[in-house]
């Protein structure tokens, strides 16, 4: 019997930018007595059906974008006699769909770190339950990933999570509803131990796969103090202290390490925090700018973000403190006009963001936007074939619309074309060359240029383009560029790199998870 963990994808590039962390975390949660799981990341290569044998257990993770492919993998595995289990954000939100369309034996809702051991044991006993409540486990229960099972030389960046959950409530985001608004933080010791392991095997680029790296703002603290809410002040201060401690420890790691994370714009007000990030070698962060106008920000419940001149200044502050910004902008908001596209790219250039992504408004399940849209659609549902548009992820990719919610004044095609032009404008050679001036030497300048082109091809070229010739060309380009980039990201392993001495033994959690008793074992 083998356990297989599959990260589904329609696009296999042979190389991937960031490790899908869940794969290596669930590998750690797999009971030792079930043997080492076989990890398949389809963004590298597709699963070979003949590897699945009757009685095997196949765990598949689905987010909304890869659910259709995930269900196809599940049906294939079930037809070969395997136990099929789904997890991940989409399965958490739509367990029934995974049971029906994906022919699941079981679905895990929420976190898998603790629940997975039980699922494996139940499958081996021949009695899996239909739905397992993985819940929201505490930060102290998050498992460190099994990096020893990673295929060597395939990924450019590793991913390590330091915190889950986000106190905000943006209308287009499901994180605060699925992961919760209470930040669940891992101890800095556990995070550092994992990163040391990664540096030993030759990773110096690590994405901190967090929802929001800045969970406590100065405003939160001030408000709690003004309200004389002492327990809140204490709680927030403790979270903040742990963040600083983590950054202090990151700063002690080899100087060639580079970290990247996701953060809210409010961190721009907190010079101490940004300085600690710079010292910790957190060289960049994705900042959700979303919209450049006050009306746009209001539309996404993010009116605490800045707009206009203040926005440019706030983003420049990050750079002034040595933290590069990947600005994330959304197009297709009801308040957008044709002029918004040009204003946005101008703002991105003016604010000096180092990278930018321009995504088209997508109502992701579990969000406020999705709920509103589903309600509107229930009166007179739009169908694509036999699928209601509110289940767009079930529409085959070749005929799936690129936008789902109608805009009051622009057609979907107009929004898509204008968005494509914005990508082209931001990532033209001249603009990239100018931005690459931030690199300290020629090697990193070349890496920067390759990465900019790769980013543009992988996201805009294969994502929003409706022209299949352009998509094919983009895929070829992305494959070639990814191979070149990979070399630039490889580092010499440091097998002798010491872990700090925390005065604790081996991670007890991993031992406990892997020792989960297996019936008949
Ligand atoms: C880091 C991250 C990224 C990174 C890295 C991606 C990567 N290669 O790993 C980057 C920035 C590249 C990225 C890109 C995108 N992301 Co993203 N990302 C995240 C983030 C913040 C953390 C993911 C992570 O690694 N978590 C750590 C692991 C350990 O947790 P986990 O994946 O949740 O897995 C746990 C459980 O879900 C469960 N589980 C998961 N799988 C399985 C399987 C089985 C069998 C079982 C039993 C359990 C189980 O157990 C795990 C351990 O507890 C999440 C937010 C979130 N909270 O999930 C968004 C998130 C997943 N991303 C999201 C989106 C929308 C995107 C983009 C489409 C954004 C865009 N417009 O470009 C792209 C798509 C990329 C792609 N094709 O996959 C959405 C997905 C929404 C949805 N309904 O699908 C999320 C939820 C954020 C959001 N705003 O809502 N992302
Ligand atoms: S978009 Fe970012 S800030 Fe808003 S709720 Fe989601 S994770 Fe939090």
């Amino acid at each position: 019997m083998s356990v297989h963990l599959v990260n589904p994808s329609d696009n296999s590039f042979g190389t991937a930018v960031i490790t899908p962390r869940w794969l290596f975390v669930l590998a750690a949660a797999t009971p030792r007595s079930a043997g080492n799981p076989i990890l398949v990341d389809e963004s590298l290569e597709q699963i070979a059906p003949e590897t699945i044998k009757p009685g095997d257990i196949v765990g598949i993770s689905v987010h909304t974008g890869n659910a259709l492919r995930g269900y196809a993998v599940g049906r294939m595995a079930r037809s070969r006699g395997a136990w099929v289990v789904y997890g991940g954000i989409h399965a958490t939100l739509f367990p029934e769909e995974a049971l029906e369309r994906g022919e699941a034996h079981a679905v895990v809702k929420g976190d898998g770190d603790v629940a997975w051991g039980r699922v494996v044991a139940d499958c081996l006993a021949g009695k899996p339950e239909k739905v397992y409540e993985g819940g929201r486990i505490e930060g102290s229960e998050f498992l460190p990933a099994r990096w020893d099972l990673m295929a060597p030389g395939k990924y450019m960046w590793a991913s390590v999570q330091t915190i889950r959950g986000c106190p905000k409530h943006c209308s287009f985001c499901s994180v605060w509803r699925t992961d919760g608004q209470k930040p669940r933080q891992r101890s800095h010791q556990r995070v550092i131990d994992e990163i040391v392991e990664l540096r030993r095997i030759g990773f110096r680029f690590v994405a901190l796969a967090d929802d929001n790296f800045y969970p406590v703002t100065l405003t939160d603290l001030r408000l709690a103090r003004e309200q004389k809410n002492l327990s809140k002040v204490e709680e927030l201060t403790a979270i903040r202290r742990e963040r600083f401690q983590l950054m202090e420890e990151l700063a002690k790691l080899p100087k060639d390490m580079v970290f990247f994370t996701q953060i809210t714009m409010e961190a721009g007000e907190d010079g101490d925090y940004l300085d600690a990030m710079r010292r910790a070698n957190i060289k960049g962060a994705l900042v959700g700018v979303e919209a450049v106008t006050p009306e746009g920000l209001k539309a996404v419940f993010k009116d605490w973000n800045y707009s206009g001149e203040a926005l440019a200044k706030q983003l420049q502050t990050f750079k002034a403190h040595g933290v590069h910004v990947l600005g994330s902008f959304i197009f297709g908001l009801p308040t957008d006009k044709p002029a918004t596209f040009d204003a946005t790219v101008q703002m991105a250039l003016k604010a000096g963001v180092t990278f930018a992504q321009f995504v088209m408004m997508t109502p992701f399940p579990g969000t406020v936007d999705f709920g509103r849209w589903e309600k509107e659609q229930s009166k007179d549902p739009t169908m694509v074939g036999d699928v209601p548009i509110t289940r767009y992820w079930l529409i085959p990719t070749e005929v799936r619309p690129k936008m789902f919610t109608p805009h009051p004044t622009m057609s979907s095609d107009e929004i898509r074309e204008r968005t494509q032009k914005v990508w082209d404008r931001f990532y033209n050679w001249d603009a990239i060359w100018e931005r690459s001036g931030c690199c300290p030497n020629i090697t990193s300048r070349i890496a920067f240029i390759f990465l900019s082109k790769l980013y543009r091809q992988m996201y805009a070229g294969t994502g929003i383009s409706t022209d299949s010739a352009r998509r094919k060309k983009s895929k070829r380009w992305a494959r070639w560029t990814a191979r070149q980039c990979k070399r630039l990201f490889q580092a010499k392993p440091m097998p002798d790199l010491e872990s700090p001495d925390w005065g604790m033994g081996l991670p007890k959690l991993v031992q406990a998870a892997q020792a989960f008793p297996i019936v008949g074992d």
Side-chain angles (χ1 to χ4, degrees), residues 10 64-65 68-69 101 373 382-401 403-404:
D10 282 318
T64 302
L68 201 58
R69 171 67 195 156
R101 300 251 180 176
W373 179 50
T382 309
M383 304 293 286
V384 180
D386 58 353
V387 184
I389 190 101
T390 50
R391 294 294 176 272
Y392 56 86
W393 53 90
L394 299 174
I395 303 170
T397 18
E398 318 78 70
V399 288
R400 192 180 301 168
M403 278 203 74
F404 312 106

Side-chain angles (χ1 to χ4, degrees), residues 166-170 172-176 211-212 264 290 302 304:
C166 176
K168 303 292 172 192
H169 57 272
C170 305
F172 56 86
C173 177
S174 55
V175 160
W176 56 285
D211 299 317
N212 177 2
T264 52
E290 328 306 358
K302 211 163 180 170
W304 40 270

Side-chain angles (χ1 to χ4, degrees), residues 176-194:
W176 56 285
R177 288 178 148 181
T178 50
D179 276 357
Q181 289 184 288
K182 178 174 166 268
R184 292 172 288 146
Q185 196 163 204
R186 286 175 87 195
S187 75
H188 60 274
Q189 293 97 331
R190 286 193 187 287
V191 175
I192 299 292
D193 282 347
E194 241 193 282

Side-chain angles (χ1 to χ4, degrees), residues 486-509:
K486 198 177 67 185
R487 281 190 230 134
L488 294 163
F489 281 89
Q490 273 159 0
K492 205 163 167 243
M494 289 180 146
D496 301 325
L497 181 64
E498 299 251 344
S499 261
D501 180 8
W502 310 115
M504 305 191 298
L506 250 182
K508 292 192 185 67
L509 274 172

Side-chain angles (χ1 to χ4, degrees), residues 18-19 26 61 63-64 112-113 161 173-174 179 211 262 364 459:
I18 306 182
T19 49
L26 273 229
S61 181
H63 56 78
T64 302
D113 311 52
Q161 197 169 37
C173 177
S174 55
D179 276 357
D211 299 317
Q262 315 199 91
F364 280 109
Y459 275 78

Side-chain angles (χ1 to χ4, degrees), residues 295 333-342 407 409-410 414 418:
E295 312 84 74
L333 301 176
T335 49
D336 284 354
K337 301 177 184 65
T340 310
F341 295 83
D342 200 40
H407 188 272
T409 56
M410 284 180 282
E414 182 180 352
R418 287 184 183 277

